[in-house]
Amino acid sequence: MAETVLSFVLDQLSTFLREEGRLLGRLRQEVQFIRDELGHMRAFLREAEAKEEDAQPRLQEWIKQVREAAYDTEDILDEFVARFAQHRTTGIYGSVRRVFSSIKNLRARHRVANEIQSIKSRIRSISEGHQRYQSEYGIPAQASNSLSVVNNTTWRHSRDDALLVEEAKLVGIDQPKKHLISQLLEGDDYQLKVVSVVGMGGLGKTTLVKKVHEDPEVRRHFPVRAWVTVSQTCDFQYLLKDLIRQLHEEGKKPVPQSIESLNTTGLKKIVKDFLQQAGRYVIVFDDVWDVEFWDTIKFALPESSHGNRVMLTTRKADVASASCIESLGYIYRMEPLSVEDSWTLFCNKIFKGNSCPGHLMDVAKVILGKCEGLPLAILAISGFLALKDVNRTEEWEMVRRSLGGELEGTGKLDRVRKILSLSYGDLPWHLKTCLLYTSICPEDYEIGCERLINLWIAERFVECREGMSIEDAAWAYLSELINRSLIQVTKVFYEGLPYACRIHDLLREVIVSKSREQNMVTVTTGQPTMWPSGKVRRLVLHSSSSNNTQHHQQRPNYCFDHLRSFVTVGSTNQLPFKTLLSEVLGSSKLLKVLDFGGQETQEEIPNEIFKMFHLKHLNLYGTRVERVPKAIGKLQHLEYLNLGKTGVRELPIEIIKLQKLRVLRVYQQVDPSDDDYGFHGFKVPSNMGALLALEVLNCIDASSGSTMIKEIGKLTQLRELYITKLRREDGKELCSSLANLTSLRQLSVDSIGKDGDHEIIDLNHHHPSLSSSSSFLQSLHLLILGGHLEKMPKWVAHLHGLVRIDLDWSGLRGEEDPLESLQHLPNLGRINFCGSYQGEGLCFKAGGFLNLKRLHLKRMEGLRWMRVEEGALPRLQTLFLQQLPLLEELPLGIQHLSHLQRLTLYEMSSQLREKLLENQKEESEDYTKIAHIPEILIGYYTDDGEWRERWLWAEKKKKTYNLS
């Protein structure tokens, strides 16, 4: 874990020397020496940390020394910049000020020089230890380039762990097994088919595939079979030799003796020649970690004409996809066990098939809940509990309370930790850092993806990549962690863009443990016994159920001098938050991140914040702040400012000084109880176009006129733009400005005024840059128009990259069909219409909306009929109809929607509701139209004003869905 810290600090040192090196003067060489020495140790650390858990205390202490030296180096340099970089001025006044500053700061510069010398001495001493341990532990000076060095013993243990699932008769495996067998046996008999099983570690992928591989029907169908365990660090030649031996033994043929002397190419040729002559084969490659492995092995697998099959298990989605691209392929995503199957497996292991005793029921359910359907964890934890006395509830309670600590012990629970740690060990250092940072989240906590990636950026975890914005790079990091099954997406904003995510509870325990080891994040609830002690670099305040009022007393010594970030997660108690914030702002000069979104008790921005020279990220979302002082202009390194859902409605002109500002969010819902009415924006200074680094601007009040609209055209880096209160006469100017925004992904324009008084949005203007090939038209993914439209803008039909469109209160008349300009957009996946059409009917024509997956129609009081022609909406999965009082019949042609998974009918006409609820006979005409739809939910208010939801099919169990 020190290697992760070291890589991060080395990256920062390189940036510092490049951007601020001239400030150092003679100290530049000293810093260069420190960077070079730390760089020499990095490769060694990579190998040493693979042995750290089994290493002697001396090596563990040395690794800790490297980590602390790296952190302290960063602290000293940030202090240096904070003190001296502020005095860069020009002109006669600047010269006088520089002379005064140099005299005033002479002692400070001398102190910094001494501290750098001290660090240099420490680095020299650590470097001597590096050379000593290098020979003592047999680690080469130039370590492997692999970022995931794990010895063979470790991965073999990981396979044993996966097959722990074999010890019990697994429940919930029969259906997946039958499904995979059908994928192997069915399909084209003249083409190689690859079946990939993907999912996080511990789900039982290996066990499932092993059951399939050994099934009698599979054995009969495929006379030639082999099983190859790949692992993180495989010897490719050894793997090929093992495969050759298995194939020859299966075919009852002697193994060629020449394999011991052949190179990789020769071994692959033997495999290919054998398989071409052998007939029908199925080969399993278990635990594949790298796309490169598949790209290499595939050349040894002949297509032939026998309907050959390959099965592959992996934790990484990109590996599964790559293996299926060139061949006939199928990807099976392994899901956790259901609650019912988890309980059965749990009880089978502990109580030998008997039921759980009543006095253990509550604690057993809590412990099982931690496993979240992970079979490996269920078996390991139940095996651990099987050793406890079932008559002593306190023993089980102790396990529940200390489950995180038990994961660090020995035996089966320790093996759970090791198998989950393998995925972490496979990550490059920058992704390790990002994953460890998720330890800021409490158990079962959903964090917004946008919040998470902006915290990564502010903490300087994200590296700029050529041709990519820093935000794109951060989203790529998140996607990689999702693909590796390390982060779970819980909500999606629109097609392809994760909105919220979480970490599996047991994986979180591993992450929290590793984060604690390297002092990355310190978590507190603010309670007297939970105040942080020692050097704290990142402080996170979680909510606490206690209302103890003595927080300022009894706490141990702590040090916030090195603090880089203060973040609150969840709704925290007022007193510990206020106390901690006061302490942090009073003693922390190196703060880069202040994120206390959602703290409703915060009513103003503390003045101490404006003294934070290094501050890059300030999140005040959901607070009661109503005013931004002029002193905001002092935060010249600020990149992220979030004042969403606050009372702020205007920003001072000093905001223009923030030339590094990348994200600016200032908005408030018009009606907090109903988001159909949009947001209030904020009034901006007339020269807003000077903020050239802006990528997100959400949302500006456009009522001041065309001058401000023209300024928007200067913000050419914008990716997200939200505008409110647009005047009709400014529509042409806005179209002109939009033509310059070649990177724009999200655009929202509304004209919502007081009491629902919507001014007409007129964007139907031709501009030379808004042609069908315009960069703006090609880049836009999300379009929201809120307010009256006389006509749909003509350029909407050219938005070939558009994924989602929302039309709110457009009020388009019957002759202006909103579907006409949208039906042939190739990537459109979601439509939300609210009060957007006044016509009597909507027709979805054949060949239209080929990729639409979700359609939501709401508050169209005049709509009497809907028709879906055969061949329209072929991929529609969700149809949501709400508050359409005149629609008395189901959409004509609804039977053509063969992929429809859910139909939701909310507050529809009483005739339609009664017809569906009272006439559920198989012979009825309505039944035959919708019998193919698995989920049909009807919601309505009774005459007494009570809200009810009913599933149409009697046997359907009521579920809770996120229908937002």
Side-chain angles (χ1 to χ4, degrees):
M1 279 59 77
E3 187 263 331
T4 306
V5 176
L6 194 58
S7 295
F8 170 69
V9 172
L10 281 169
D11 184 61
Q12 305 314 309
L13 284 175
S14 296
T15 302
F16 178 85
L17 287 167
R18 183 174 65 251
E19 297 179 358
E20 309 285 359
R22 62 187 180 279
L23 288 173
L24 289 168
R26 287 177 297 175
L27 295 176
R28 182 188 177 98
Q29 289 183 335
E30 312 296 326
V31 176
Q32 185 81 45
F33 171 84
I34 292 170
R35 189 193 69 170
D36 292 344
E37 284 299 303
L38 291 174
H40 293 152
M41 293 180 210
R42 177 163 55 175
F44 170 75
L45 266 175
R46 199 172 291 164
E47 299 280 348
E49 289 192 312
K51 303 184 177 186
E52 183 178 9
E53 292 182 7
D54 302 318
Q56 296 177 8
R58 287 187 302 125
L59 179 58
Q60 293 176 339
E61 179 61 28
W62 180 85
I63 291 172
K64 181 181 178 181
Q65 288 174 8
V66 175
R67 180 171 63 238
E68 290 305 312
Y71 272 140
D72 290 346
T73 301
E74 186 190 19
D75 286 351
I76 292 169
L77 293 178
D78 275 350
E79 275 189 54
F80 180 88
V81 172
R83 182 174 293 275
F84 297 107
Q86 298 178 71
H87 303 298
R88 282 180 273 185
T89 49
T90 56
I92 296 175
Y93 172 74
S95 299
V96 173
R97 186 175 176 184
R98 280 197 302 275
V99 170
F100 174 75
S101 297
S102 63
I103 296 171
K104 180 180 178 181
N105 290 304
L106 191 60
R107 289 183 181 176
R109 185 178 287 271
H110 183 67
R111 182 176 61 81
V112 169
N114 286 339
E115 288 178 345
I116 289 178
Q117 286 293 341
S118 175
I119 286 282
K120 183 177 178 180
S121 298
R122 282 170 62 189
I123 294 291
R124 276 204 177 104
S125 175
I126 292 170
S127 183
E128 291 171 5
H130 161 216
Q131 296 164 12
R132 184 168 63 253
Y133 294 127
Q134 190 172 296
S135 57
E136 185 174 336
Y137 286 90
I139 298 175
Q142 294 300 318
S144 164
N145 288 328
S146 169
L147 289 167
S148 56
V149 178
V150 180
N151 60 38
N152 287 337
T153 304
T154 303
W155 72 253
R156 289 188 188 280
H157 282 321
S158 79
R159 295 296 83 213
D160 293 340
D161 287 340
L163 293 172
L164 273 175
V165 184
E166 203 74 67
E167 295 176 5
K169 293 181 178 178
L170 249 189
V171 295
I173 202 172
D174 290 340
Q175 283 303 115
K177 177 186 171 184
K178 289 177 183 177
H179 183 66
L180 289 179
I181 289 174
S182 70
Q183 288 294 328
L184 289 182
L185 301 184
E186 297 172 4
D188 188 353
D189 280 345
Y190 299 97
Q191 187 176 359
L192 176 67
K193 182 176 183 179
V194 180
V195 176
S196 291
V197 180
V198 63
M200 72 176 291
L203 275 177
K205 301 182 296 296
T206 299
T207 302
L208 172 61
V209 172
K210 195 170 183 64
K211 294 282 189 185
V212 171
H213 188 246
E214 294 178 348
D215 183 80
E217 191 174 0
V218 172
R219 295 173 72 95
R220 283 195 303 272
H221 200 77
F222 299 98
V224 179
R225 298 158 53 255
W227 180 288
V228 179
T229 298
V230 181
S231 83
Q232 282 176 292
T233 54
C234 67
D235 181 328
F236 195 67
Q237 285 197 5
Y238 175 86
L239 183 147
L240 286 172
K241 291 174 187 177
D242 180 41
L243 177 57
I244 290 168
R245 291 188 186 97
Q246 288 190 53
L247 292 173
H248 281 75
E249 288 170 6
E250 282 279 311
K252 296 182 172 55
K253 294 182 179 180
V255 179
Q257 295 184 355
S258 60
I259 65 172
E260 298 303 330
S261 58
L262 289 175
N263 60 16
T264 300
T265 304
L267 292 170
K268 284 196 289 186
K269 187 176 186 309
I270 289 182
V271 172
K272 189 167 187 176
D273 290 345
F274 181 92
L275 292 175
Q276 280 176 332
Q277 300 172 20
R280 196 186 301 266
Y281 69 81
V282 59
I283 298 174
V284 176
F285 294 107
D286 180 40
D287 198 29
V288 179
W289 289 78
D290 198 340
V291 171
E292 193 174 315
F293 168 80
W294 174 254
D295 289 341
T296 304
I297 197 66
K298 67 184 180 183
F299 296 109
L301 306 173
E303 290 279 346
S304 75
S305 58
H306 301 295
N308 299 316
R309 302 290 186 255
V310 169
M311 295 192 77
L312 179 148
T313 73
T314 181
R315 304 184 188 195
K316 299 167 70 173
D318 60 341
V319 174
S321 300
S323 65
C324 295
I325 289 174
E326 298 175 9
S327 305
L328 186 66
Y330 176 76
I331 298 174
Y332 180 77
R333 300 188 183 278
M334 192 90 174
E335 297 294 337
L337 294 178
S338 66
V339 174
E340 294 80 7
D341 285 341
S342 296
W343 182 252
T344 301
L345 181 60
F346 186 73
C347 291
N348 283 349
K349 184 74 175 177
I350 301 175
F351 308 115
K352 310 304 179 187
N354 296 320
S355 59
C356 176
H359 64 279
L360 292 177
M361 190 70 73
D362 291 342
V363 65
K365 287 182 177 179
V366 172
I367 293 173
L368 184 61
K370 295 272 291 182
C371 299
E372 297 186 63
L374 200 66
L376 175 68
I378 294 170
L379 287 168
I381 288 174
S382 57
F384 184 72
L385 288 170
L387 303 175
K388 303 297 180 184
D389 188 341
V390 295
N391 296 315
R392 298 185 62 185
T393 308
E394 64 271 18
E395 289 193 8
W396 283 54
E397 286 287 354
M398 190 178 297
V399 173
R400 179 189 64 79
R401 289 193 300 270
S402 61
L403 191 52
E406 296 288 355
L407 280 174
E408 299 176 20
T410 57
K412 291 181 180 179
L413 288 183
D414 188 48
R415 292 201 293 273
V416 173
R417 182 182 62 82
K418 284 184 177 179
I419 195 169
L420 294 176
S421 295
L422 282 176
S423 293
Y424 171 82
D426 183 60
L427 295 172
W429 73 265
H430 60 280
L431 290 184
K432 284 181 179 176
T433 308
C434 291
L435 185 62
L436 288 187
Y437 192 76
T438 62
S439 61
I440 68 172
C441 299
E443 187 178 337
D444 296 324
Y445 184 81
E446 281 188 359
I447 188 169
C449 295
E450 190 265 347
R451 182 185 187 189
L452 181 61
I453 69 159
N454 277 294
L455 282 169
W456 285 348
I457 292 170
E459 297 278 7
R460 298 188 294 184
F461 296 160
V462 181
E463 294 178 308
C464 288
R465 299 181 182 179
E466 189 174 350
M468 294 179 72
S469 70
I470 193 74
E471 188 180 45
D472 278 338
W475 279 112
Y477 284 16
L478 181 65
S479 295
E480 178 69 8
L481 291 170
I482 292 168
N483 286 339
R484 289 170 177 259
S485 305
L486 293 170
I487 287 181
Q488 302 170 342
V489 177
T490 54
K491 293 177 185 173
V492 176
F493 178 38
Y494 61 91
E495 194 73 18
L497 186 65
Y499 181 75
C501 60
R502 65 182 296 275
I503 307 293
H504 188 285
D505 275 356
L506 293 182
L507 179 59
R508 178 184 168 275
E509 298 289 358
V510 173
I511 290 169
V512 167
S513 173
K514 293 182 182 297
S515 174
R516 191 184 302 121
E517 284 175 19
Q518 66 180 58
N519 191 24
M520 186 175 192
V521 172
T522 301
V523 176
T524 183
T525 60
Q527 296 304 302
T529 57
M530 296 294 291
W531 278 78
S533 59
K535 287 183 181 179
V536 179
R537 300 187 182 276
R538 296 179 183 88
L539 181 64
V540 180
L541 178 64
H542 286 177
S543 59
S544 170
S545 58
S546 170
N547 292 316
N548 193 316
T549 58
Q550 303 299 318
H551 298 99
H552 59 289
Q553 302 172 13
Q554 306 178 38
R555 67 177 183 267
N557 294 328
Y558 59 88
C559 175
F560 287 158
D561 293 349
H562 303 270
L563 195 68
R564 299 314 180 91
S565 59
F566 176 46
V567 178
T568 63
V569 182
S571 180
T572 62
N573 291 335
Q574 179 177 358
L575 184 58
F577 167 66
K578 292 283 189 181
T579 305
L580 262 181
L581 182 62
S582 175
E583 297 283 0
V584 164
L585 296 180
S587 58
S588 307
K589 305 303 180 189
L590 303 178
L591 270 174
K592 290 183 171 65
V593 176
L594 270 175
D595 189 315
F596 41 93
Q599 303 309 312
E600 296 182 358
T601 58
Q602 190 63 33
E603 296 180 348
E604 60 182 20
I605 306 176
N607 289 327
E608 292 87 349
I609 287 178
F610 305 115
K611 301 174 184 177
M612 303 295 172
F613 176 76
H614 287 290
L615 196 66
K616 299 175 63 142
H617 180 105
L618 181 57
N619 181 11
L620 300 166
Y621 174 91
T623 61
R624 295 183 184 177
V625 169
E626 295 185 351
R627 187 182 70 88
V628 177
K630 294 181 179 181
I632 190 75
K634 295 180 181 179
L635 302 178
Q636 295 185 27
H637 288 275
L638 198 66
E639 297 178 7
Y640 179 96
L641 177 59
N642 191 341
L643 291 159
K645 294 193 176 180
T646 64
V648 175
R649 301 291 290 277
E650 189 170 356
L651 293 181
I653 194 169
E654 284 75 12
I655 198 77
I656 302 302
K657 295 180 181 180
L658 308 184
Q659 289 296 298
K660 294 185 178 181
L661 197 62
R662 185 179 54 82
V663 175
L664 179 58
R665 297 188 184 277
V666 190
Y667 58 86
Q668 188 179 38
Q669 276 185 282
V670 172
D671 182 352
S673 64
D674 192 339
D675 57 10
D676 289 337
Y677 293 97
F679 296 88
H680 292 300
F682 70 99
K683 293 183 178 180
V684 301
S686 58
N687 54 345
M688 192 71 180
L691 291 176
L692 297 178
L694 268 185
E695 295 180 12
V696 174
L697 183 54
N698 179 0
C699 85
I700 57 174
D701 184 328
S703 60
S704 60
S706 59
T707 301
M708 188 276 297
I709 298 295
K710 188 177 294 185
E711 289 288 297
I712 290 175
K714 300 176 183 179
L715 304 176
T716 56
Q717 302 301 310
L718 277 180
R719 301 153 54 85
E720 182 180 328
L721 173 62
Y722 283 58
I723 300 174
T724 188
K725 293 189 179 179
L726 180 73
R727 303 185 307 174
R728 180 173 187 170
E729 60 264 34
D730 293 328
K732 185 175 183 180
E733 190 66 61
L734 179 58
C735 287
S736 177
S737 289
L738 290 176
N740 297 328
L741 307 184
T742 56
S743 299
L744 200 65
R745 306 280 184 86
Q746 299 179 28
L747 173 64
S748 174
V749 179
D750 80 43
S751 63
I752 296 174
K754 293 182 179 179
D755 303 318
D757 180 20
H758 315 309
E759 185 161 338
I760 289 173
I761 296 177
D762 182 10
L763 298 178
N764 205 24
H765 296 279
H766 176 72
H767 188 278
S769 297
L770 288 179
S771 63
S772 59
S773 60
S774 163
S775 296
F776 156 67
L777 296 180
Q778 301 308 310
S779 67
L780 201 66
H781 290 175
L782 169 66
L783 175 63
I784 301 173
L785 299 177
H788 292 315
L789 290 174
E790 287 182 334
K791 290 184 177 181
M792 286 283 284
K794 291 181 179 179
W795 46 264
V796 169
H798 301 293
L799 295 174
H800 297 302
L802 196 69
V803 174
R804 171 177 166 178
I805 185 168
D806 291 11
L807 296 182
D808 296 331
W809 313 114
S810 305
L812 290 167
R813 300 190 179 277
E815 62 273 14
E816 182 65 26
D817 185 353
L819 303 179
E820 191 66 34
S821 57
L822 302 176
Q823 62 180 332
H824 296 304
L825 294 180
N827 293 297
L828 189 60
R830 180 169 176 171
I831 289 177
N832 294 333
F833 286 170
C834 176
S836 56
Y837 186 57
Q838 294 183 2
E840 290 190 355
L842 284 174
C843 179
F844 295 85
K845 298 177 181 178
F849 301 101
L850 295 182
N851 282 303
L852 197 71
K853 294 183 177 66
R854 182 181 174 104
L855 175 62
H856 188 163
L857 305 179
K858 181 179 182 182
R859 287 178 170 170
M860 297 187 192
E861 282 78 8
L863 196 68
R864 292 180 177 273
W865 58 267
M866 287 177 60
R867 183 167 68 248
V868 181
E869 296 181 357
E870 190 169 2
L873 302 167
R875 297 186 178 181
L876 192 70
Q877 297 172 1
T878 302
L879 176 58
F880 198 131
L881 305 178
Q882 184 174 3
Q883 291 175 276
L884 309 179
L886 299 184
L887 190 68
E888 298 181 358
E889 299 286 342
L890 287 169
L892 299 172
I894 194 171
Q895 66 271 19
H896 302 317
L897 303 178
S898 58
H899 286 81
L900 194 61
Q901 297 297 306
R902 188 193 309 169
L903 170 63
T904 302
L905 303 169
Y906 271 8
E907 299 177 78
M908 303 295 285
S909 68
S910 56
Q911 293 93 328
L912 178 58
R913 182 181 75 233
E914 290 170 6
K915 182 186 297 185
L916 292 175
L917 290 176
E918 296 175 7
N919 189 12
Q920 297 185 45
K921 298 177 182 178
E922 292 190 13
E923 64 272 13
S924 73
E925 183 180 352
D926 286 326
Y927 180 94
T928 58
K929 290 179 181 178
I930 57 177
H932 65 289
I933 305 174
E935 300 174 358
I936 301 179
L937 180 63
I938 298 175
Y940 59 97
Y941 286 102
T942 66
D943 293 338
D944 297 331
E946 181 184 353
W947 177 255
R948 288 187 181 176
E949 291 184 354
R950 288 181 61 183
W951 292 102
L952 183 58
W953 312 133
E955 68 273 13
K956 188 72 180 178
K957 294 180 181 178
K958 187 170 182 179
K959 299 179 181 178
T960 301
Y961 288 99
N962 173 21
L963 299 174
S964 61

Short mmCIF file of all heavy atoms in Angstrom, two decimals, residues 55 90 112 167 207 220 506 630 678 693 745 896 914 925 937:
data_model
loop_
_atom_site.label_atom_id
_atom_site.label_comp_id
_atom_site.label_asym_id
_atom_site.label_seq_id
_atom_site.Cartn_x
_atom_site.Cartn_y
_atom_site.Cartn_z
N ALA A 55 5.74 -10.84 6.06
CA ALA A 55 7.10 -10.34 6.31
C ALA A 55 7.34 -10.12 7.80
O ALA A 55 6.42 -10.04 8.61
CB ALA A 55 7.30 -9.03 5.56
N THR A 90 3.77 41.82 -10.40
CA THR A 90 4.63 42.49 -11.38
C THR A 90 4.56 43.99 -11.17
O THR A 90 3.77 44.51 -10.40
CB THR A 90 4.18 42.14 -12.81
OG1 THR A 90 2.79 42.52 -12.94
CG2 THR A 90 4.32 40.65 -13.08
N VAL A 112 11.87 26.06 5.92
CA VAL A 112 11.50 25.10 4.87
C VAL A 112 12.76 24.37 4.38
O VAL A 112 12.75 23.15 4.17
CB VAL A 112 10.78 25.81 3.70
CG1 VAL A 112 10.64 24.86 2.51
CG2 VAL A 112 9.41 26.30 4.14
N GLU A 167 -17.76 -27.53 -1.11
CA GLU A 167 -17.94 -28.31 0.11
C GLU A 167 -19.42 -28.52 0.44
O GLU A 167 -19.80 -29.49 1.06
CB GLU A 167 -17.28 -27.57 1.29
CG GLU A 167 -15.77 -27.47 1.16
CD GLU A 167 -15.19 -26.64 2.30
OE1 GLU A 167 -15.96 -26.27 3.20
OE2 GLU A 167 -13.99 -26.40 2.29
N THR A 207 -17.19 -22.69 -9.52
CA THR A 207 -18.03 -23.83 -9.15
C THR A 207 -19.12 -24.08 -10.18
O THR A 207 -19.36 -25.23 -10.57
CB THR A 207 -18.66 -23.58 -7.77
OG1 THR A 207 -17.61 -23.37 -6.83
CG2 THR A 207 -19.50 -24.76 -7.33
N ARG A 220 -20.83 -36.23 -22.86
CA ARG A 220 -21.19 -37.03 -24.05
C ARG A 220 -21.03 -36.22 -25.33
O ARG A 220 -20.58 -36.72 -26.35
CB ARG A 220 -22.63 -37.52 -23.92
CG ARG A 220 -22.83 -38.69 -22.98
CD ARG A 220 -24.19 -39.34 -23.18
NE ARG A 220 -25.29 -38.41 -22.99
CZ ARG A 220 -25.86 -38.16 -21.82
NH1 ARG A 220 -25.43 -38.78 -20.72
NH2 ARG A 220 -26.85 -37.30 -21.72
N LEU A 506 -18.55 -6.80 2.31
CA LEU A 506 -17.32 -7.51 2.69
C LEU A 506 -16.11 -6.96 1.95
O LEU A 506 -15.01 -6.89 2.52
CB LEU A 506 -17.48 -9.01 2.43
CG LEU A 506 -18.51 -9.71 3.32
CD1 LEU A 506 -18.54 -11.20 3.02
CD2 LEU A 506 -18.21 -9.49 4.79
N LYS A 630 -17.69 38.40 -1.20
CA LYS A 630 -16.74 38.80 -2.24
C LYS A 630 -15.39 38.11 -2.06
O LYS A 630 -14.64 37.95 -3.02
CB LYS A 630 -16.55 40.32 -2.20
CG LYS A 630 -17.79 41.11 -2.57
CD LYS A 630 -17.50 42.61 -2.53
CE LYS A 630 -18.75 43.40 -2.94
NZ LYS A 630 -18.50 44.88 -2.93
N GLY A 678 -38.91 22.33 -12.73
CA GLY A 678 -37.58 22.86 -12.98
C GLY A 678 -36.92 23.51 -11.78
O GLY A 678 -37.27 23.25 -10.62
N ALA A 693 -12.22 28.11 -18.16
CA ALA A 693 -11.99 26.70 -17.80
C ALA A 693 -13.29 25.97 -17.48
O ALA A 693 -13.28 24.75 -17.29
CB ALA A 693 -11.04 26.61 -16.60
N ARG A 745 -22.28 18.06 -23.77
CA ARG A 745 -22.94 16.75 -23.63
C ARG A 745 -24.38 16.90 -23.14
O ARG A 745 -25.23 16.13 -23.53
CB ARG A 745 -22.17 15.89 -22.63
CG ARG A 745 -20.69 15.72 -22.92
CD ARG A 745 -20.44 14.67 -23.97
NE ARG A 745 -19.01 14.47 -24.17
CZ ARG A 745 -18.26 13.66 -23.44
NH1 ARG A 745 -18.81 12.97 -22.44
NH2 ARG A 745 -16.98 13.52 -23.68
N HIS A 896 -47.18 -5.83 -30.03
CA HIS A 896 -45.97 -5.87 -30.86
C HIS A 896 -44.70 -5.60 -30.05
O HIS A 896 -43.59 -5.85 -30.53
CB HIS A 896 -46.05 -4.84 -31.99
CG HIS A 896 -47.24 -5.02 -32.90
ND1 HIS A 896 -47.65 -6.25 -33.35
CD2 HIS A 896 -48.12 -4.10 -33.42
CE1 HIS A 896 -48.71 -6.10 -34.12
NE2 HIS A 896 -49.02 -4.82 -34.17
N GLU A 914 -60.36 -0.10 -14.23
CA GLU A 914 -61.34 -1.13 -13.88
C GLU A 914 -61.35 -2.26 -14.91
O GLU A 914 -61.49 -3.43 -14.57
CB GLU A 914 -62.73 -0.49 -13.76
CG GLU A 914 -62.84 0.41 -12.54
CD GLU A 914 -64.13 1.24 -12.56
OE1 GLU A 914 -64.96 1.00 -13.48
OE2 GLU A 914 -64.29 2.10 -11.67
N GLU A 925 -59.72 -10.17 -24.66
CA GLU A 925 -58.89 -9.55 -25.70
C GLU A 925 -57.75 -8.76 -25.09
O GLU A 925 -56.61 -8.82 -25.56
CB GLU A 925 -59.78 -8.64 -26.55
CG GLU A 925 -59.02 -7.99 -27.71
CD GLU A 925 -59.91 -7.09 -28.54
OE1 GLU A 925 -61.15 -7.07 -28.31
OE2 GLU A 925 -59.38 -6.38 -29.41
N LEU A 937 -47.92 -2.80 -13.37
CA LEU A 937 -48.23 -2.17 -12.09
C LEU A 937 -49.24 -1.06 -12.31
O LEU A 937 -49.06 -0.19 -13.18
CB LEU A 937 -46.95 -1.61 -11.45
CG LEU A 937 -47.09 -0.92 -10.10
CD1 LEU A 937 -47.59 -1.89 -9.03
CD2 LEU A 937 -45.76 -0.31 -9.67
#
